[in-house]
């Protein structure tokens, strides 16, 4: 029985053609996948395998087609010649596919490692991004906190009523707050200190240069100074009593390279301390004077009385009469001194009632005006109409104004001017009365003692030295204060400051 070989022949030819077509399609498809993701190792493997299989398909398919065509045409000898080449190409194709497969196993492991490394890098990247964001947030918070701290200390620096200064090691002023510049009278233009061409030295403001040298030496040894009492001089020549605290900032070699200073102006405190000492001194002298005056007053009254009795019996014009009148004059002078001393030292009745300061001054001027005109002394008044009535003892306040005006007259002697001004200060809480003159003035060494009892720079017989002491006590009893400023050759200014307040109208005992 004989079978036809046509089906086998057809299948072999059709299969070879389909193999070529499918291999080309596989190459095209795998190439398209590779173009989508060139880093995908699997796509690369498929591309390589598809090329190897395409080579095998071309070798085997074309070989089979050529074989059947050559055998049908009777060219077996040609096929026999081509047959070894076709088999070699098939062998090479399978070797390539095997090699690609074996190589892919290694590539796959490398690819997996790369993927794991990529994941690790991605995770590290995410953590770095988180740390970066956290650091940015932390830096922003710290920057904001530093800004707030800088603003806080800048406000303290700018608004402090005491001087705050930063100095270089040689004393050059690097920075100083507005209170310090105002205290020393330093100009401030364009946000920088007016230091001139060579810098501003803080040591130049010390009244005694040796104090600055001692301060720098102490800072170098102990690195700080606390409440050192120093005397500074501002640019306008004003002397400033100050408490200075300082600390040095050192570098890595522990050398002082910068000083930080805080300086408090205690000039007014010093003045108040002197006033307190003055008040304490007056109180002590008053207690002593009360006893002495009491013991002297009675004998003086007896001497004056017997002298007046003898004068009645003695005719005028005799030497005895003149001698008795001399005794009477000096006895009256002594009695006046004792009475002033008693009014200064002992309790007296005070009647306080509403009164116009302007009226009291006018009353005093009406009494002394004739005497002032004789000496060609001009009196000028400048009264503030807003000054209210004060609750004062009229007689005692007249005595204060009389003492101040008479002192001004005696300081001028002849041809001068006395100015009396009133004003309302301290937001309407205080009335200020100033009596200034163009007299000889008071020397600086005498100023602290002018309110001491019996202290006077006048010639013998011109004053007892009790006028200002009594005035001081009267003003203090009224809750006020009396101040003085004077310059030799230019005159003096006495300032009486009285509080504006309402008191009950009654007679009270007080210590003057």
């Amino acid at each position: 029985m004989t079978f036809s070989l046509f089906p086998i022949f057809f299948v072999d030819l059709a299969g070879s053609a389909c193999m070529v077509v499918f291999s080309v399609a596989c190459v095209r498809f795998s190439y398209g996948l590779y173009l989508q993701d060139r880093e995908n190792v699997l796509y690369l493997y498929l591309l390589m395998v598809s090329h190897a299989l395409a080579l095998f398909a071309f070798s085997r398919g074309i070989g089979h087609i050529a074989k059947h065509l050559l055998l049908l045409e009777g060219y077996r000898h040609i096929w026999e010649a081509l047959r070894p080449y076709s088999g070699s190409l098939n062998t090479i194709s399978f070797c390539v596919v095997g090699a690609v497969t074996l190589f892919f196993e290694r590539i796959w492991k490398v690819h997996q490692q790369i993927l794991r490394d990529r994941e690790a890098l991605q995770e590290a990247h995410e953590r770095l991004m988180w740390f970066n964001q956290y650091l940015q947030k932390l830096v922003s918070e710290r920057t904001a906190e530093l800004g707030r701290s800088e603003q806080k200390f800048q406000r303290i620096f700018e608004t402090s009523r005491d001087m705050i200064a930063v100095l270089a090691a040689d004393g050059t002023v690097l920075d100083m707050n507005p209170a310090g510049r105002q205290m020393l009278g330093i100009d401030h233009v364009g946000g920088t200190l007016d230091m001139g061409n060579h810098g501003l030295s803080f040591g130049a403001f010390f009244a005694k240069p040796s104090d600055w040298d001692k301060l720098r030496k102490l800072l170098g040894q102990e690195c700080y100074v606390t409440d050192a009492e120093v005397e500074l001089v501002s640019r306008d020549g004003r002397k400033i009593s100050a408490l200075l605290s300082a600390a040095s900032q050192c570098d890595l070699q522990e050398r002082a390279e910068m000083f930080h200073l805080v300086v408090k102006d205690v000039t007014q405190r010093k003045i108040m301390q002197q006033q307190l000492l003055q008040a304490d001194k007056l109180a002590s002298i008053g207690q002593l004077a009360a006893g002495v005056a009491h013991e002297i007053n009675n004998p003086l009254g007896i001497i004056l009385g017997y002298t007046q009795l003898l004068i009645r019996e003695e005719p005028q014009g005799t030497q005895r009469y003149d001698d008795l009148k001399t005794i009477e004059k000096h006895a009256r002078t002594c009695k006046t001194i004792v009475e002033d001393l008693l009014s200064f030292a002992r309790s007296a009745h005070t009647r306080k009632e509403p009164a116009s300061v302007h009226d009291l001054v006018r009353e005093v001027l009406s009494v002394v005006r004739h005497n002032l005109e004789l000496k060609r002394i001009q009196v000028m008044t400048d009264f503030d109409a807003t000054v209210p009535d004060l609750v004062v003892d009229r007689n005692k306040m007249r005595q204060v104004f009389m003492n101040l005006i008479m002192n001004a007259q005696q300081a001028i002697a002849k041809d001068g001017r006395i100015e009396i001004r009133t004003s309302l200060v301290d937001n309407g809480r205080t009335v200020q009365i100033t009596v200034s003159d163009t007299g000889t003035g008071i020397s600086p060494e005498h100023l602290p003692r002018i309110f001491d009892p019996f202290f006077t720079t006048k010639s013998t017989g011109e004053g007892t030295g009790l006028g200002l002491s009594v005035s001081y006590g009267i003003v203090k009893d009224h809750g006020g204060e009396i101040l003085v400023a004077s310059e030799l050759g230019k005159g003096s200014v006495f300032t009486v400051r009285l509080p504006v307040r309402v008191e009950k109208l009654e007679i009270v005992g007080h210590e003057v």
Side-chain angles (χ1 to χ4, degrees), residues 114-126:
I114 291 175
L115 290 178
R116 287 192 294 270
D117 291 343
R118 178 182 292 178
E119 292 178 356
L121 287 174
Q122 184 66 26
E123 182 180 356
H125 175 69
E126 292 176 355

Side-chain angles (χ1 to χ4, degrees), residues 196-487:
N197 297 326
H198 306 288
L200 179 67
S201 175
F202 188 73
F205 293 97
F206 276 72
K208 298 179 180 178
S210 59
D211 290 346
W212 169 240
D213 295 334
K214 292 177 182 177
L215 178 65
R216 288 183 58 189
K217 184 177 180 181
L218 191 60
L219 282 173
Q221 294 175 349
E222 300 185 6
C223 295
Y224 71 93
V225 172
T226 303
D227 291 340
E229 292 191 14
V230 297
E231 188 172 278
L232 306 178
V233 180
S234 65
R235 278 189 168 177
D236 57 4
R238 179 172 50 89
K239 291 187 177 181
I240 304 167
S241 298
L243 288 179
L244 184 146
S245 297
S248 61
Q249 178 180 330
C250 302
D251 57 15
L252 296 177
Q253 286 76 33
E254 296 185 355
R255 293 176 302 184
E257 61 177 9
M258 194 176 297
F259 299 146
H260 301 274
L261 276 69
V262 177
V263 181
K264 186 176 186 65
D265 187 351
V266 294
T267 305
Q268 293 299 322
R269 184 188 299 179
K270 289 282 188 180
I271 294 174
M272 292 179 64
Q273 288 177 350
Q274 292 178 358
Q275 290 178 348
L276 289 174
L277 290 174
Q278 180 74 16
D280 185 63
K281 183 192 299 182
L282 292 177
S284 300
I285 295 176
Q287 293 177 357
L288 176 63
V292 174
H294 179 74
E295 296 298 329
I296 296 177
N297 193 39
N298 291 334
L300 280 176
I302 295 173
I303 293 172
L304 186 59
Y306 276 98
T307 302
Q308 291 173 344
L309 289 175
L310 292 173
I311 290 176
R312 289 179 187 177
E313 302 296 331
E314 191 68 29
Q316 295 185 7
T318 64
Q319 182 64 40
R320 183 180 177 84
Y321 179 85
D322 293 337
D323 293 340
L324 291 173
K325 291 296 289 184
T326 301
I327 295 173
E328 180 188 25
K329 175 184 175 182
H330 288 286
R332 287 186 180 278
T333 301
C334 292
K335 191 169 181 60
T336 301
I337 294 174
V338 171
E339 288 175 352
D340 287 342
L341 189 59
L342 284 173
S343 64
F344 165 75
R346 299 185 62 184
S347 299
H349 292 293
T350 300
R351 182 179 182 83
K352 293 183 179 180
E353 56 186 353
S356 170
V357 174
H358 301 158
D359 291 342
L360 296 178
V361 174
R362 291 189 185 99
E363 291 173 7
V364 173
L365 288 177
S366 65
V367 174
V368 300
R369 188 176 298 276
H370 179 68
N371 190 27
L372 295 174
E373 290 175 352
L374 289 176
K375 295 185 177 182
R376 297 189 297 277
I377 297 175
Q378 183 182 5
V379 179
M380 300 177 62
T381 58
D382 182 11
F383 295 155
D384 187 349
T386 62
V387 172
D389 290 350
L390 301 180
V391 179
V392 295
D393 185 302
R394 292 172 176 267
N395 292 328
K396 291 187 178 297
M397 290 311 301
R398 287 194 196 96
Q399 184 178 357
V400 171
F401 297 140
M402 178 67 76
N403 285 334
L404 295 180
I405 293 173
M406 293 307 296
N407 282 344
Q409 173 197 326
Q410 292 172 358
I412 295 173
K414 287 185 178 181
D415 298 324
R417 185 177 69 256
I418 298 175
E419 296 181 3
I420 304 173
R421 289 186 172 88
T422 63
S423 58
L424 202 58
V425 297
D426 296 338
N427 296 324
R429 296 192 299 269
T430 305
V431 172
Q432 184 169 281
I433 307 101
T434 60
V435 179
S436 57
D437 62 67
T438 57
T440 57
I442 305 171
S443 61
E445 61 269 18
H446 291 158
L447 272 177
R449 300 185 57 195
I450 61 172
F451 295 112
D452 290 353
F454 304 110
F455 176 81
T456 180
T457 58
K458 302 172 186 177
S459 302
T460 304
E462 292 187 4
T464 62
L466 285 173
L468 287 178
S469 300
V470 172
S471 300
Y472 182 90
I474 292 173
V475 173
K476 282 295 182 181
D477 178 64
H478 284 76
E481 59 180 346
I482 181 168
L483 308 174
V484 61
S486 183
E487 187 175 351

